[in-house]
Amino acid sequence: MARQKLRGWGAVRHALSTAGVAALAWACVGIAPVQAWSTVDGTLEVHGFVDSTTHGRAHGLGLSKQRFRGQLEFSKNFGAAGIFSSLSAHGIVRAVYDGVYDLNSDTYGDEAGGQVMGASTGIPTPNGPLLTPWGSSPVTAGNPALPGGGGFGFDVAANPNTGLRKVGRELGASSNTGQFGGGLELFTPVRPCNVDPRGCIDGYLDFDEDDLRFPEFRDDHRWLREMYVDATIPFENGNELNFRVGRQQVVWGRTDLFRVLDQVNPIDFSVQNIYEEFEDSRIPLGILSAEYRMGATAMFDDLNFQFLWNFEDFQPSVLGQGGQPYNILLAGDLFRALGNCWDNGCTVSNFAGLSPAGNLATDFPAHTLGIRQANVPDGNDQFGMRLEGVFKSVGFSVNALYFYQQLPSLHAFQPPAVNPFVGRGIPAAALPPFLTVGPETVFGQEFPRSYLPAFDIEFPRVLLVGASGDFYVDQLGSIPLKSVFRVEVAHTNGEEFPDTSKPGMYSTSRVMRWVVGWDRQTFFRTLNRNRAFLISAQVFGEHLLDHNLIETGTGSIGMPNWKDDFFLTLLLQTNYMNDRLNPRILTAYDVRAHAGVVGPQIEWLMSDNWQFILAANLKFGTARQVFDNNASANPYPPFTLPAGTCGPVPSANPPPCNAPTSSIGLFRGYEPLGRFRSGPIGMAQHEDELQLMVRFRF
């Protein structure tokens, strides 16, 4: 039987008519309220919830989430035991099934994708650029202009034109002018890895269909969301030493959407990009937390010192796999496309420059460009410390964290890559005289090459040092503020970023991040006579202190990330009907990317057990930011050397014409590096959604 496909807002209408009607039916039959269960002595309590979440995506993409989730939480208090004044255990187990991979399988499941065409804007036709099928590009096998016919092309039988999708297809058409985006185009396999293993990166982004349907039951046992023991040792002076040992979340910050200090636990962005509550998107880790609580001292109203050791294996943040509904920056699509390029070869639109106008689709052989592997650290050696207290009604913390970067860094000049410009089996004596004879010039001989987008994924060490403060201001002069202000600042050393000017295609920069938050309860009597509105505004800043950007005369090369970036958020929330009807609106704006999002939401607590949330997530702005796409680099001299040049920038000692050189910034687009300028909001401009959640608590 064919599976039903739910499209567009029809998916949400379906959810409203099924989940909503079912919930109302349960309520109307007069079922008594269900309470949390506890023992007679109150030392053991069990509670939880089950819920259904439905997201319908506009622009013809249809159902993007149909999640059924059950969560059970328990807390057991053992009281005093031995040297411990209190001893308790806490746990959370969770099960999730996301039916989108079954209900919308031709967009996100085992029937997703299709055939693709590579574009050559350098060969115009009356209907636009020349379009050729995957594996049949103008630059392919048997090119008579190259020694031995060259080594371009790949085996289409082993890497067929099925189950593919253009990376960033939702962002619009192609153009190398930089006015609309365009540039290079890559194509990613989008079916689960057990259905189509192409591009799946072993041990990193290699989820099969069950991993996607049941994300809590992957190899890292995410179903055991939290499980820890709390124990407190008292001292005669009134101080305490508290231990919390086990899988847990450690929260070091209080911000919405973006993190500054809250870096202990990685994030699963595949849940809902940056918009899921951190409580649900953080990835819990096995951590030993030791906190020495000194209470009030001669100087401080309260003072505590915390030490952290993450003893569980390192877990990077989950970007989302190529083909998933949510993958932040569309990086999962990009990584899977590059993984397939390395393993099997691939077609890249608008790459080669052999025509007078350049920009020809190119069929690259395997082991030429792409991602070879992910080198995920073992972990067990991440540590943190925090001093937290209150001084004259000002809450503060001083934080330090030594950890692995949770987002991936791509390192070129590591994987040995072949030279596709020289045909297989050409003897060294038969090479053209303009070629430097060596192993790197013989096709089939793999050799690390600088400035070539052939990568390994790394997770470097990072040291974070930061601080926070929060305080209440009742009045400033004659102005009644009645506001809480929150400040967080963090400095990191060791973070890595893409950099097209470097042989390894990355560089390290110190980073300063900060946030200033303002919270105020304010009455707007015309809108709500009985309850105040919560107004919460935030300004985030991010500054790359070692930013590298070079103007070549033909464009910019270096780091695509903005040197200085700013984000603004605003939350408005109030309550009606004795706090059972709770509307809110949250909006965020990326200043440099010119990209914004607005998220209206209304929550109805129909009873102590039933909760309904209807929400939308709508994007706005012009966020198709572009950057150098490295197509004018010279990793294979002299074939990739721009005519009449011997180096990317003027220099007193230019490299010889047969030496690899960096890009000169001649071509740019949102693929692959413009995404870092568009940011997570800008790269999700197509993800307008209507959302419904129905939850039953017990």
Side-chain angles (χ1 to χ4, degrees):
M1 178 183 296
R3 286 178 285 192
Q4 180 184 12
K5 308 296 189 296
L6 299 177
R7 292 296 186 192
W9 304 127
V12 177
R13 289 195 299 269
H14 171 79
L16 286 166
S17 63
T18 54
V21 169
L24 288 172
W26 272 77
C28 292
V29 296
I31 293 180
V34 180
Q35 305 297 327
W37 180 85
S38 64
T39 56
V40 175
D41 60 5
T43 61
L44 175 62
E45 182 174 307
V46 180
H47 58 95
F49 63 81
V50 291
D51 63 26
S52 168
T53 301
T54 304
H55 293 181
R57 189 167 293 177
H59 314 297
L61 297 175
L63 193 72
S64 56
K65 183 185 290 291
Q66 182 57 75
R67 181 183 66 195
F68 299 95
R69 178 173 58 178
Q71 180 167 301
L72 193 66
E73 305 178 30
F74 77 87
S75 178
K76 171 62 177 175
N77 186 357
F78 298 99
I83 63 172
F84 302 110
S85 61
S86 65
L87 182 66
S88 60
H90 308 267
I92 299 176
V93 294
R94 176 185 291 180
V96 172
Y97 164 66
D98 194 341
V100 69
Y101 302 101
D102 296 313
L103 295 172
N104 198 4
S105 60
D106 59 356
T107 302
Y108 302 114
D110 56 12
E111 301 171 352
Q115 296 185 341
V116 295
M117 305 284 281
S120 298
T121 56
I123 306 178
T125 74
N127 298 317
L130 176 69
L131 299 178
T132 50
W134 168 265
S136 301
S137 302
V139 181
T140 190
N143 192 315
L146 297 175
F152 287 94
F154 58 88
D155 185 357
V156 179
N159 187 12
N161 190 9
T162 58
L164 300 171
R165 183 183 299 153
K166 187 178 82 173
V167 177
R169 65 170 185 168
E170 303 89 352
L171 299 180
S174 302
S175 170
N176 264 329
T177 66
Q179 296 175 353
F180 188 61
L184 304 183
E185 293 177 350
L186 297 111
F187 304 94
T188 180
V190 291
R191 295 173 181 173
C193 290
N194 62 311
V195 179
D196 185 351
R198 291 180 296 171
C200 298
I201 302 172
D202 185 44
Y204 180 50
L205 293 172
D206 58 351
F207 304 137
D208 63 27
E209 194 164 22
D210 280 343
D211 292 332
L212 300 176
R213 289 169 170 155
F214 308 101
E216 308 302 300
F217 293 94
R218 296 172 185 165
D219 293 340
D220 53 357
H221 303 292
R222 297 266 291 279
W223 62 271
L224 186 62
R225 184 148 183 83
E226 294 188 10
M227 184 68 69
Y228 58 84
V229 173
D230 255 331
T232 301
I233 301 175
F235 296 97
E236 292 183 358
N237 61 359
N239 295 352
E240 294 180 338
L241 180 61
N242 174 263
F243 293 96
R244 176 172 290 184
V245 185
R247 180 171 282 192
Q248 58 186 285
Q249 298 184 44
V250 175
V251 181
W252 273 8
R254 293 189 302 158
T255 58
D256 296 321
L257 297 182
F258 306 102
R259 303 189 298 166
V260 177
L261 286 175
D262 189 19
Q263 301 287 339
V264 177
N265 294 83
I267 296 291
D268 186 349
F269 294 106
S270 71
V271 178
Q272 196 191 341
N273 207 315
I274 62 173
Y275 306 109
E276 189 77 3
E277 296 289 343
F278 287 144
E279 180 184 2
D280 291 318
S281 63
R282 288 192 197 94
I283 300 174
L285 299 171
I287 292 174
L288 164 65
S289 171
E291 186 172 356
Y292 186 62
R293 301 169 179 169
M294 291 165 274
T297 67
M299 180 178 295
F300 300 98
D301 301 325
D302 190 41
L303 193 64
N304 306 307
F305 176 78
Q306 182 183 34
F307 171 80
L308 300 176
W309 171 40
N310 174 18
F311 56 81
E312 193 171 356
D313 290 344
F314 169 69
Q315 292 281 338
S317 290
V318 178
L319 305 180
Q321 180 169 280
Q324 280 195 268
Y326 301 99
N327 66 95
I328 188 169
L329 294 175
L330 297 183
D333 287 348
L334 174 65
F335 283 14
R336 190 167 181 185
L338 291 175
N340 186 43
C341 286
W342 180 263
D343 292 337
N344 304 298
C346 64
T347 294
V348 180
S349 295
N350 303 322
F351 192 95
L354 297 183
S355 74
N359 306 334
L360 300 182
T362 304
D363 296 334
F364 286 96
H367 293 198
T368 301
L369 57 80
I371 292 176
R372 178 180 63 163
Q373 62 191 26
N375 299 319
V376 181
D378 291 335
N380 315 121
D381 52 357
Q382 301 179 88
F383 304 93
M385 294 181 293
R386 178 176 67 164
L387 182 68
E388 181 184 34
V390 179
F391 177 72
K392 294 184 177 180
S393 301
V394 176
F396 71 90
S397 72
V398 179
N399 308 63
L401 185 66
Y402 186 54
F403 65 115
Y404 291 102
Q405 181 172 304
Q406 295 165 355
L407 296 177
S409 176
L410 300 184
H411 285 209
F413 209 12
Q414 288 185 184
V418 299
N419 185 345
F421 289 92
V422 179
R424 186 181 298 274
I426 302 298
L431 290 173
F434 58 78
L435 278 178
T436 301
V437 176
E440 68 274 18
T441 60
V442 178
F443 183 80
Q445 178 67 45
E446 299 185 359
F447 193 83
R449 303 173 192 276
S450 56
Y451 305 108
L452 179 70
F455 302 108
D456 285 344
I457 295 176
E458 304 288 349
F459 298 89
R461 282 283 199 178
V462 176
L463 175 64
L464 177 150
V465 178
S468 71
D470 58 86
F471 52 92
Y472 177 79
V473 178
D474 184 68
Q475 193 159 327
L476 183 63
S478 61
I479 304 174
L481 291 181
K482 300 185 182 301
S483 300
V484 173
F485 292 90
R486 299 172 282 111
V487 179
E488 292 182 23
V489 60
H491 176 279
T492 62
N493 195 350
E495 287 191 67
E496 294 179 353
F497 300 88
D499 188 338
T500 58
S501 72
K502 302 296 184 182
M505 303 288 289
Y506 76 95
S507 60
T508 302
S509 177
R510 297 165 298 154
V511 182
M512 182 70 72
R513 295 182 178 91
W514 55 267
V515 61
V516 176
W518 168 63
D519 303 322
R520 190 181 195 276
Q521 296 280 352
T522 304
F523 277 96
F524 297 99
R525 298 294 187 180
T526 56
L527 298 176
N528 193 336
R529 294 182 179 181
N530 302 315
R531 293 288 190 271
F533 280 76
L534 170 64
I535 305 174
S536 180
Q538 300 177 124
V539 180
F540 291 82
E542 179 179 85
H543 310 278
L544 274 62
L545 305 181
D546 303 305
H547 191 263
N548 178 43
L549 191 68
I550 301 171
E551 297 296 334
T552 68
T554 55
S556 301
I557 63 173
M559 291 182 175
N561 301 73
W562 300 106
K563 180 180 180 181
D564 302 293
D565 203 357
F566 302 92
F567 302 86
L568 311 175
T569 72
L570 177 64
L571 170 68
L572 299 175
Q573 181 174 314
T574 191
N575 312 98
Y576 297 93
M577 296 170 55
N578 294 322
D579 300 335
R580 289 199 176 272
L581 189 67
N582 308 308
R584 80 168 198 177
I585 185 167
L586 175 63
T587 184
Y589 187 71
D590 185 336
V591 175
R592 298 302 302 271
H594 307 296
V597 59
V598 58
Q601 172 186 299
I602 186 164
E603 175 192 49
W604 177 33
L605 301 176
M606 190 178 69
S607 68
D608 292 341
N609 300 118
W610 286 102
Q611 176 190 24
F612 296 80
I613 295 177
L614 181 64
N617 189 280
L618 309 172
K619 317 301 188 302
F620 61 92
T622 55
R624 294 183 179 93
Q625 303 294 326
V626 299
F627 194 73
D628 171 39
N629 62 23
N630 204 56
S632 59
N634 179 32
Y636 295 108
F639 299 105
T640 50
L641 184 69
T645 64
C646 288
V649 294
S651 171
N653 298 296
C657 290
N658 61 356
T661 53
S662 73
S663 169
I664 60 173
L666 185 60
F667 303 114
R668 60 194 187 277
Y670 53 71
E671 288 297 344
L673 299 178
R675 57 182 20 88
F676 293 101
R677 295 201 158 198
S678 296
I681 300 176
M683 288 300 293
Q685 290 287 294
H686 60 287
E687 294 180 7
D688 291 338
E689 292 184 334
L690 191 60
Q691 305 167 347
L692 172 70
M693 188 191 78
V694 180
R695 174 173 291 179
F696 180 79
R697 298 178 182 274
F698 57 89

